[in-house]
Amino acid sequence: MRRIAATALLLALMAGFGAGVYRLLDSHRSRTLPQAESAPAAPGLGPVLPGTFYLAQGGSIYQFQKGKFKKLTPAEGWTQPAASPDGTRLVAVKRGFNSSDLYLLGTDGRVMAQLTHNLSTVVEYNHWAFFPRFSPDGNSIFYSYDAKDPGNSYRVDMAVYAMPVGSLKPVARPWTNPNQYTGGDVSPTPLRAGGLVYSKFAADADGKVFSQVWIQARAGSPGLGLTRAEDNCGQPAVSPAQTMLVVVCHPAKDVSIVETASLDPAGYSAGPLQPLVTAPLVASPAFSPDGLSVAYFAPAAPGRPFQLWTAALAPAAAGGKLPAPRVVGPALGWDSGSAPVWV
Amino acid sequence: MLDRQRLATPEIRRRSGLRERPPRPRLLPRLALVLAGFLLAGAAGAGAYFLPVLTTTVSAVGTGQIGSVAGIAAGGDQPFTVLLLGSDDDAKFPADAVLTQSMIVVRVNPATKQVTMLSIPRDLWVTIPGRKGKAKIDTAYQLGGARLAIETVETNFHIKIDDYVWVGLKGLIHLIDRMGGVDVNITNPVMDDFYPSDIDVKNPYGYYRLAILPGAVHLDGAHALQYVRSRHGDLRGDFARSERQQQVLLALKGESKQVSLSDLPDLASAFNGELKTSIGLDRVRGMMAVAGRLGTSGIQQVVLLPPYTNPQMVGDQDVVIPNWPLILPLVHQSFP
């Protein structure tokens, strides 16, 4: 009897050992880190920074002010907000399945007007509208739009257009002439002097597409590059005083650099690029309201969600070193293609 | 009493009613038996855990057709070559008779930490072994599965393939989702007004519009598939797509550093029949160790742009004509 009991006990122990091996292996499984989808609406999630941020995440626009996040819009494809010069309105993209449209919003997220009407029941008759920016006088909106090529339905290149705000029947006017089959011209920033800074995509002799920051004086004028082709720079933002430029450059594979340069809008020129942040992936830089810092998105580690960072442009004391960039808030998985608005 | 028992013969014991004491069992064999039992139980536990991986690798091409990579299994430094195949396995095609939209040959040399990725244009006009005339290389898999696809690459490029991995559309989506997504830098807007709408739909011939905007982004599986599959709006069509495929593969290699052997069952079950490979579990372990040692500096990416190839019309087909006198020396620099 004792022998039977001992055997049964041993068998039970063996079965337990087998199950233990299974559990041990299971415990070593890495938990894939999901991108944060929960609303960062809980108060006190971030440090107190001067000014107000507008950020996009998971199809919603959030306001970040005095260390608190506030959800302004439901998760309905909202992205790429931009603030009016007086800070009282926002223009943002609402992205659908085959099209996207621009909307005028209050700073509380309330929809004031739909500015474009790009939806069609025929798939290829839809249009995209992205990267909206107010003109310095607040009367126009510059954005990227895909006009159709009647000669080739496969060609979809975005050009920068400008449309008046407040007009009953606004007519959008093309500003730029994109290079064919490159994706076109994106990220426009209109200048007080009347010109326009934007990202232009072009192809080299081998057909490899690269990006250049471009400046153009008027609608339809030829324009010229502010950065060199080999630096492969894009995503420009202009400082509030319009004397500085911040861009993201990819001079080599797996290298992204947030770089700054002096800007002379009247002379259509920029100074040499100065590296600010180097990392495998950085995106969508924007200046602080005082022009002394830059906000941008980057993952804290490879494969992690994109977080909001700020980097000072000058040391705290004369002759000192630049302080290291600091992360703002927890890993919330911000929409890295939607530049932070800092007003 | 003890003396009587000890001195009595078996016959005396039987007659006198004395009971015979059983011989004392040896301790060592019993211990060995118990140990073996525990080992078996542990193996059963591990087997149950890795069952999804084992069932995935069962669909391999029979061994003997493809060279074995013993060096990897042993965690050694022997170079190996893997053919990666990707197919549009949607409802437009019968199961197991699909074209390969993506063919990438990867050569890994663990000793030198060198990786070479060679993208083969899907429309490359080649000889398919056992077939008359020439055909697009993407038909090889449709005609004869992985075995013929491998044979076609080996015959035309004069290289030796050790193993293969085939993945379908949903397999790639699920893999990337299980890995938590993938970070990539979108180099230029990827715009496509005719992107195929053929996954989990009634009409696999539909299409929709795509706009993947430039910049560093985190992509989930569905968006990553769009990025590597779109080709209509790009200046270099299939060649640019090949570069994007290599880019996402390298990004996945980076993400895989967070993946351990214990994650394999999860990943294997994510494929749900959308992955076929000749690589067994033992070699996956070795390969993961090798991948962890590789940096990005030793990675060479090869896309057979003109003048290595020349797009042409043959009959009513858009094909890519190979320039073998240029291709073969290039390939043999990295693929002996």
Side-chain angles (χ1 to χ4, degrees):
Chain A
M1 192 66 190
R2 271 193 308 174
R3 189 181 297 175
I4 293 171
T7 307
L9 181 67
L10 267 177
L11 285 173
L13 281 174
M14 285 172 192
F17 180 71
V21 168
Y22 186 99
R23 292 287 297 273
L24 181 74
L25 287 166
D26 191 48
S27 69
H28 280 77
R29 190 169 46 162
S30 56
R31 310 293 166 193
T32 52
L33 186 69
Q35 289 293 290
E37 289 174 0
S38 56
L45 277 175
V48 176
L49 290 172
T52 302
F53 280 91
Y54 295 97
L55 307 154
Q57 182 223 61
S60 293
I61 294 173
Y62 292 86
Q63 184 188 63
F64 179 53
Q65 198 175 41
K66 296 175 182 170
K68 293 181 179 177
F69 288 100
K70 181 182 171 189
K71 190 175 186 175
L72 298 184
T73 67
E76 292 176 344
W78 292 101
T79 185
Q80 297 180 345
S84 63
D86 61 3
T88 60
R89 294 170 297 169
L90 300 175
V91 59
V93 173
K94 190 177 183 185
R95 185 170 180 159
F97 190 59
N98 283 314
S99 66
S100 60
D101 276 306
L102 305 183
Y103 286 78
L104 206 57
L105 308 173
T107 52
D108 57 356
R110 182 175 45 88
V111 173
M112 297 166 71
Q114 181 174 350
L115 302 176
T116 59
H117 300 271
N118 292 332
L119 182 66
S120 169
T121 52
V122 180
V123 173
E124 57 267 39
Y125 291 173
N126 285 273
H127 286 276
W128 300 113
F130 292 117
F131 305 107
R133 286 283 185 280
F134 278 96
S135 61
D137 62 9
N139 292 328
S140 300
I141 287 173
F142 286 71
Y143 62 103
S144 293
Y145 173 79
D146 62 322
K148 301 294 179 185
D149 181 345
N152 193 335
S153 57
Y154 277 178
R155 185 187 160 210
V156 189
D157 292 313
M158 290 186 281
V160 175
Y161 278 67
M163 69 184 297
V165 185
S167 163
L168 286 177
K169 285 190 175 178
V171 176
R173 193 162 59 125
W175 260 68
T176 68
N177 184 22
N179 293 310
Q180 294 196 3
Y181 294 101
T182 60
D185 303 331
V186 299
S187 306
T189 299
L191 301 170
R192 273 198 290 272
L196 176 73
V197 169
Y198 62 99
S199 283
K200 190 173 205 58
F201 289 91
D204 65 15
D206 294 329
K208 192 162 180 62
V209 177
F210 63 91
S211 174
Q212 249 183 307
V213 176
W214 207 254
I215 191 165
Q216 202 170 301
R218 296 175 304 279
S221 66
L224 52 96
L226 289 176
T227 57
R228 299 179 307 168
E230 58 266 37
D231 290 329
N232 198 16
C233 299
Q235 305 174 49
V238 175
S239 67
Q242 304 214 330
T243 55
M244 291 271 286
L245 190 66
V246 62
V247 297
V248 175
C249 302
H250 302 282
K253 209 186 322 172
D254 299 321
V255 177
S256 303
I257 312 173
V258 177
E259 305 205 58
T260 57
S262 59
L263 176 67
D264 176 10
Y268 304 109
S269 63
L273 293 169
Q274 302 290 332
L276 180 66
V277 179
T278 302
L281 292 168
V282 288
S284 303
F287 280 97
S288 61
D290 58 10
L292 299 176
S293 305
V294 165
Y296 61 95
F297 295 118
R304 295 303 185 97
F306 277 82
Q307 291 182 263
L308 181 65
W309 298 74
T310 59
L313 294 172
K321 284 177 68 177
L322 271 179
R326 65 173 185 161
V327 69
V328 181
L332 293 168
W334 295 112
D335 177 352
S336 59
S338 175
V341 179
W342 196 355
V343 291
Chain B
M1 185 70 174
L2 283 173
D3 286 341
R4 278 181 62 198
Q5 270 192 335
R6 196 188 309 149
L7 295 171
T9 64
E11 180 62 16
I12 295 169
R13 279 196 204 133
R14 191 179 58 78
R15 285 185 184 173
S16 61
L18 288 173
R19 293 182 62 191
E20 189 174 355
R21 175 185 278 190
R24 179 185 283 263
R26 286 183 208 147
L27 190 62
L28 211 58
R30 190 177 277 188
L31 265 178
L33 195 68
V34 169
L35 198 64
F38 274 100
L39 282 175
L40 269 175
Y49 186 80
F50 287 111
L51 190 63
V53 185
L54 297 171
T55 53
T56 297
T57 52
V58 156
S59 58
V61 165
T63 52
Q65 299 298 319
I66 305 173
S68 84
V69 196
I72 303 172
D77 285 346
Q78 186 179 329
F80 58 94
T81 304
V82 181
L83 177 62
L84 306 180
L85 304 163
S87 286
D88 291 0
D89 59 335
D90 52 67
K92 290 197 288 286
F93 303 95
D96 278 337
V98 293
L99 303 170
T100 46
Q101 299 291 342
S102 173
M103 297 179 93
I104 303 175
V105 187
V106 183
R107 174 80 173 171
V108 181
N109 189 337
T112 59
K113 296 185 180 175
Q114 295 283 319
V115 178
T116 307
M117 303 169 75
L118 166 70
S119 285
I120 300 174
R122 64 170 196 162
D123 294 338
L124 199 69
W125 196 241
V126 297
T127 303
I128 309 246
R131 304 305 196 270
K132 286 182 181 174
K134 297 202 170 187
K136 291 182 181 181
I137 199 165
D138 65 354
T139 59
Y141 187 86
Q142 189 180 43
L143 294 168
R147 189 169 298 166
L148 188 57
I150 290 164
E151 206 180 336
T152 304
V153 172
E154 287 185 333
T155 305
N156 286 278
F157 286 84
H158 302 167
I159 58 177
K160 179 84 181 74
I161 303 290
D162 296 310
D163 277 294
Y164 84 96
V165 178
W166 174 93
V167 65
L169 297 176
K170 282 197 278 190
L172 185 66
I173 293 174
H174 293 155
L175 169 70
I176 292 173
D177 282 342
R178 285 293 174 103
M179 292 179 75
V182 62
D183 288 344
V184 290
N185 179 44
I186 312 288
T187 51
N188 61 296
V190 177
M191 314 293 286
D192 192 341
D193 272 10
F194 299 95
Y195 184 83
S197 172
D198 52 9
I199 298 178
D200 294 333
V201 290
K202 284 182 182 171
N203 171 22
Y205 295 95
Y207 54 91
Y208 63 90
R209 304 185 77 223
L210 201 67
I212 303 174
L213 302 178
V217 289
H218 183 85
L219 297 176
D220 63 12
H223 288 94
L225 175 69
Q226 291 172 346
Y227 182 59
V228 300
R229 200 181 173 202
S230 172
R231 66 189 172 93
H232 291 126
D234 213 302
L235 188 66
R236 294 184 299 163
D238 195 45
F239 295 112
R241 179 166 75 162
S242 295
E243 285 181 346
R244 294 197 299 270
Q245 289 166 356
Q246 292 190 0
Q247 183 190 9
V248 168
L249 267 180
L250 290 175
L252 279 174
K253 188 195 86 64
E255 309 276 343
S256 71
K257 286 182 180 169
Q258 299 170 39
V259 175
S260 72
L261 194 66
S262 301
D263 296 314
L264 290 181
D266 239 10
L267 294 175
S269 57
F271 284 114
N272 193 25
E274 293 262 330
L275 178 121
K276 295 171 189 173
T277 179
S278 58
I279 303 170
L281 181 60
D282 53 340
R283 280 182 288 154
V284 170
R285 186 167 54 89
M287 281 182 171
M288 285 177 70
V290 168
R293 296 202 303 266
L294 298 172
T296 52
S297 58
I299 294 173
Q300 185 193 3
Q301 295 173 256
V302 183
V303 177
L304 296 175
L305 291 161
Y308 294 98
T309 53
N310 181 26
Q312 273 184 22
M313 289 292 288
V314 172
D316 60 349
Q317 296 188 80
D318 280 316
V319 305
V320 174
I321 304 292
N323 186 345
W324 292 118
L326 286 182
I327 290 175
L328 292 180
L330 174 79
V331 167
H332 291 155
Q333 286 173 14
S334 308
F335 297 87

